Amino acid sequence: MPFIKSETRSGAYYDSAVLMQLQRGLLGLPGVLDSGAVMGTPANLELLEQSGLLTDDAKKAGVNDLLIVVKAESDGVVAEALGQVDSLLARRRSAVAQEFRPKSLETAVQQLPEANWVLVSVPGRFAAGVAREALNLGKHVFLYSDNVSLEDEIALKKTAQAKGLLVMGPDCGTAIINGVGLGFANRVRRGPIGVVGASGTGTQAVTARIHNLGSGVSHAIGTGGRDLKSEVGAITAHQALDVLACDPETKVIVLISKPPAANVATKLLAAAQASGKPVVVDFIGYPPPARKLDNLHFSAGLSEAAEIAVKLLEDWRIREFSNAKRPRFASDLYLRGLFSGGTLAYETMLGLQAVLSPLYSNSPISDSQILPDPLKSQAHTIVDLGDEVFMVGRLHPMIDNDLRLRRLKQEAADPETGLILLDVVLGEGAHPDPASELAPAIAEITRSENRRIEVVTMVIGTDSDPQNVESQVERLKAAGAIVFRTATGAIEYVARRMSQPPDSVGLPVSLDSFNQPLAAINVGLESFYESLVGQGAQAVQVDWKPPAGGNEKLAAILAKMKKKK
C-alpha cells in the first residue's frame, strides 16, 4: 500500500520551471512513486486530486503557499524524500544562479540601464503590477502571464500608448525583436518580412515557414490573444503595424489573429491599407472579402500567409508599390453605391466591409448593416435597386434607368456624398443603350462647379453584346466616370479612395528600441532568461518574490507607502 504525505510552505514562491525541476528530482528518488510540487491554487489542488495526491493537509494550502506531495512505497521513503526538498531546490538554484540577482525591477534597471524590454511571467494576479512598474520605468513589456483581468489589460495598454511604449500581451507567448526570440520562438534568420501576431503558435508557424522558404523576419510583434477584441480595440496591433510600416527594413507585413471583432478588424485593415506596404492578412475564421484588396492580400491559412509574403518580395511590382495615388476623401464624405445587380451589390458589400465602416445596405451581410430606409442613404451605403421594395409597378433597373437617374440626383445633392459607384450590366434583355441616359447624368455631377463628386462605374459585358461595350465605356469616360471592366477593380479602387486609417492615439513607438541590440530584464520564468542569454542578448534575471509574501492587504499598504515617498 503506497504512503502519501504533503508539506505546505506558507508564502514560499517559486516559478513553475523551478517547481517542475523539484518534482522531477523527487520522482528520481528511489521508492518514490509519484510527486507534486505546485503553488496552492484551486486549479493545482484540483489537478492533485485527479492524480490521487490531494491529502487533507494539502487542501488547506493557499495560492501563495508552496505545496509538496510525495507518494512512495513506505512512510520512511516519503519522509526521506521530503527531507531532500531543500537540497533539491538548492541544487537547481546553484545550477542557474551564480551571478548577483537584483530583488526588484528598479534595481535591475540600474544594473542594465540599456534594457528596453521587460519580460513578465509571474502569476497573473501579480503580473499587472509588475508590468505597470516596467512602464513607469519607461520599458516595453512582453507580458507572458495569463489570468490578467481585461480591465488591467486595457489600462496597461492605454498607459503604454500614452508613453510611446508597447505591451505585448497578456498571454503573449511569442515575439522576435531584432533577431532575438522572446518567450517561445523559433530561431529564424533576419529578413524583410514583419509579423504582427495575436496568436503565439500562429506566429511561430508563419515565421518558421518564412525561414524555411529562404526568407527572413525583421520583427514579429505579439499582441496577446484579446487585443483584437472590441473592448481592447487592437491597441497593440495598431502600434505594431505602425512600427513595421515605419521600419525601412520591413518590406512586407503579415497580420495574424484568431477571429477578430468585426469593428476592430475594419479599423485595423484600414490602417494596414494605409501603411503603404503589402500586407498579408490571416484572420483565422474571418471571411476574407477577396483574395486581394488593394495592397491587402488575404490568405486561407498560416502556411499560405507565409508563402504569399515571400512571393510578394519576389514580385517586382510590389517593390515598385506606391500608395501615392489619388488622395483619400475627407472622413466626412461617403460612398453611395447604386446597383442594378443584386449579386454585384452583395459582392461589393463583402469587399468593402473590410475597410469601410459604418456601411449600410438593403442587401446586408450582417444585421448591423441593415439600411433602415432603402429610399435614403446614410454613411456608406450600397443600394440594390433591383430589390423587390423598388420593383412594385416598375421595370427592373437593368431595363429602365429612371429610378437610378432619380437616385443619382438625390445622392449628388447630399453634401455627405463623395463618391458614387454604379454597375452597368450589358447583354441580351438589358437596356439597349444605358450610356445614352447615364452619361449625361454623370457629366452633370462630375462637371459641377459647386463641388467635386467622383463617379465610378463597373461595366459588365462582352464585345459581342448588342450595346457595343467599347462605345458604352468611351461615353461613360467622356462624361467623367472612372470605368472598370470588373467588379474587383472597382471595389479595390473605392476601397483605396474611401477607407480612412484610424486617427493615431498616443505617442508613436520609436524604432530605436527595435533596431539596437536587444537587452532585457526578465521577471519570472528563468528559462526565458536562459533563452535570451543563449541567443546572445544582454539580460538580467530578477529574483522576484510576491510582494509582502503574497499577503494582498499588506502589499497594498506597502504600495501606498512607496507611492508617498
Side-chain angles (χ1 to χ4, degrees):
M1 174 181 171
F3 292 80
I4 302 176
K5 191 172 182 181
S6 63
E7 181 177 312
T8 302
R9 298 188 177 189
S10 299
Y13 171 78
Y14 293 91
D15 73 41
S16 51
V18 174
L19 296 179
M20 179 188 70
Q21 294 291 337
L22 173 58
Q23 183 174 349
R24 288 180 178 177
L26 290 169
L27 277 172
L29 297 174
V32 173
L33 303 174
D34 201 354
S35 70
V38 296
M39 300 304 293
T41 64
N44 284 334
L45 295 182
E46 188 174 340
L47 288 172
L48 287 176
E49 185 171 28
Q50 290 174 2
S51 302
L53 292 174
L54 187 62
T55 66
D56 289 339
D57 287 339
K59 292 176 183 175
K60 301 172 186 172
V63 295
N64 299 312
D65 300 335
L66 170 60
L67 180 58
I68 306 155
V69 187
V70 174
K71 178 180 179 182
E73 294 171 346
S74 69
D75 195 31
V77 172
V78 169
E80 188 175 342
L82 289 174
Q84 294 194 42
V85 167
D86 286 327
S87 62
L88 288 171
L89 286 171
R91 190 186 308 167
R92 162 69 182 172
R93 181 154 295 280
S94 64
V96 299
Q98 298 296 328
E99 76 280 16
F100 168 74
R101 290 190 168 180
K103 302 288 185 185
S104 71
L105 189 54
E106 194 170 359
T107 307
V109 169
Q110 293 171 6
Q111 187 173 333
L112 187 62
E114 56 269 50
N116 284 318
W117 303 86
V118 174
L119 285 66
V120 181
S121 54
V122 302
R125 61 189 183 282
F126 303 111
V130 177
R132 195 172 295 114
E133 186 180 358
L135 292 174
N136 289 336
L137 290 166
K139 308 300 179 186
H140 301 294
V141 174
F142 175 84
L143 185 50
Y144 170 80
S145 307
D146 53 16
N147 290 310
V148 175
S149 72
L150 188 61
E151 293 75 17
D152 276 334
E153 176 175 354
I154 295 169
L156 287 169
K157 290 188 171 181
K158 286 185 174 178
T159 298
Q161 194 177 35
K163 293 174 176 285
L165 298 170
L166 275 179
V167 171
M168 296 190 280
D171 197 19
C172 180
T174 302
I176 301 171
I177 305 298
N178 199 13
V180 177
L182 310 184
F184 306 115
N186 299 93
R187 295 199 175 188
V188 301
R189 72 177 65 81
R190 288 274 284 143
I193 299 176
V195 178
V196 179
S199 162
T201 51
T203 300
Q204 285 193 259
V206 169
T207 54
R209 182 66 176 147
I210 289 170
H211 175 91
N212 291 333
L213 288 170
S215 190
V217 174
S218 56
H219 308 287
I221 303 174
T223 68
R226 294 188 305 212
D227 191 65
L228 270 64
K229 287 185 175 295
S230 294
E231 297 87 341
V232 185
I235 292 174
T236 302
H238 278 284
Q239 290 179 293
L241 189 61
D242 186 59
V243 167
L244 296 177
C246 294
D247 179 19
E249 302 303 318
T250 300
K251 307 301 183 188
V252 175
I253 300 169
V254 180
L255 270 177
I256 309 164
S257 173
K258 293 184 275 287
N263 59 328
V264 173
T266 300
K267 291 181 180 177
L268 190 59
L269 291 176
Q273 191 186 18
S275 70
K277 294 183 178 179
V279 180
V280 183
V281 181
D282 184 19
F283 288 162
I284 301 163
Y286 176 85
R291 295 293 289 172
K292 178 178 177 294
L293 186 64
D294 198 16
N295 59 319
L296 306 181
H297 302 256
F298 294 88
S299 77
L302 297 167
S303 295
E304 190 185 53
E307 290 158 9
I308 293 173
V310 173
K311 186 175 184 305
L312 286 171
L313 289 169
E314 299 166 355
D315 190 333
W316 68 268
R317 290 172 300 176
I318 296 305
R319 290 196 292 274
E320 297 297 319
F321 179 88
S322 169
N323 221 29
K325 300 165 185 170
R326 293 190 182 202
R328 289 179 170 77
F329 282 94
S331 59
D332 57 349
L333 295 180
Y334 295 104
L335 162 72
R336 301 293 156 76
L338 308 178
F339 282 78
S340 62
T343 302
L344 288 172
Y346 197 83
E347 180 170 341
T348 302
M349 284 290 296
L350 190 62
L352 293 181
Q353 69 171 354
V355 293
L356 298 189
S357 179
L359 178 63
Y360 298 98
S361 178
N362 61 337
S363 183
I365 294 171
S366 65
D367 289 347
S368 63
Q369 296 169 336
I370 294 175
L371 183 65
D373 181 359
L375 300 178
K376 185 178 180 183
S377 299
Q378 64 180 49
H380 299 295
T381 296
I382 301 293
V383 182
D384 172 15
L385 294 170
D387 187 62
E388 61 184 13
V389 70
F390 297 108
M391 289 294 95
V392 180
R394 284 183 179 276
L395 288 172
H396 193 278
M398 281 180 61
I399 304 172
D400 182 1
N401 284 311
D402 179 71
L403 181 59
R404 184 143 62 168
L405 292 171
R406 293 176 187 275
R407 191 66 178 251
L408 266 172
K409 285 187 178 180
Q410 178 184 323
E411 302 298 349
D414 186 341
E416 292 188 338
T417 301
L419 189 152
I420 298 174
L421 174 63
L422 305 172
D423 64 340
V424 179
V425 184
L426 309 179
E428 297 293 342
H431 190 287
D433 187 10
S436 66
E437 296 178 353
L438 292 174
I442 291 170
E444 188 176 335
I445 295 170
T446 58
R447 294 168 186 167
S448 170
E449 294 182 356
N450 295 328
R451 65 191 183 93
R452 184 85 167 88
I453 295 177
E454 207 165 86
V455 179
V456 177
T457 63
M458 55 175 82
V459 177
I460 309 300
T462 74
D463 58 4
S464 299
D465 287 331
Q467 292 90 351
N468 187 341
V469 65
E470 293 302 326
S471 171
Q472 297 291 320
V473 168
E474 289 307 314
R475 281 184 283 164
L476 292 170
K477 284 183 176 177
I482 299 168
V483 181
F484 292 88
R485 293 300 310 279
T486 65
T488 301
I491 292 168
E492 282 196 34
Y493 179 83
V494 173
R496 191 185 310 133
R497 295 282 280 135
M498 300 304 298
S499 68
Q500 297 290 332
D503 294 334
S504 59
V505 178
L507 292 175
V509 177
S510 170
L511 267 176
D512 293 345
S513 302
F514 288 80
N515 292 335
Q516 59 187 233
L518 190 132
I521 295 167
N522 187 58
V523 189
L525 288 171
E526 291 187 1
S527 57
F528 288 174
Y529 163 75
E530 293 162 8
S531 170
L532 290 172
V533 174
Q535 294 175 81
Q538 289 190 83
V540 168
Q541 173 72 30
V542 174
D543 189 15
W544 183 86
K545 301 292 181 189
N551 184 315
E552 294 183 6
K553 288 184 178 178
L554 183 56
I557 293 171
L558 291 173
K560 282 184 180 178
M561 292 173 64
K562 189 175 180 181
K563 195 178 289 185
K564 287 180 180 177
K565 284 183 179 178

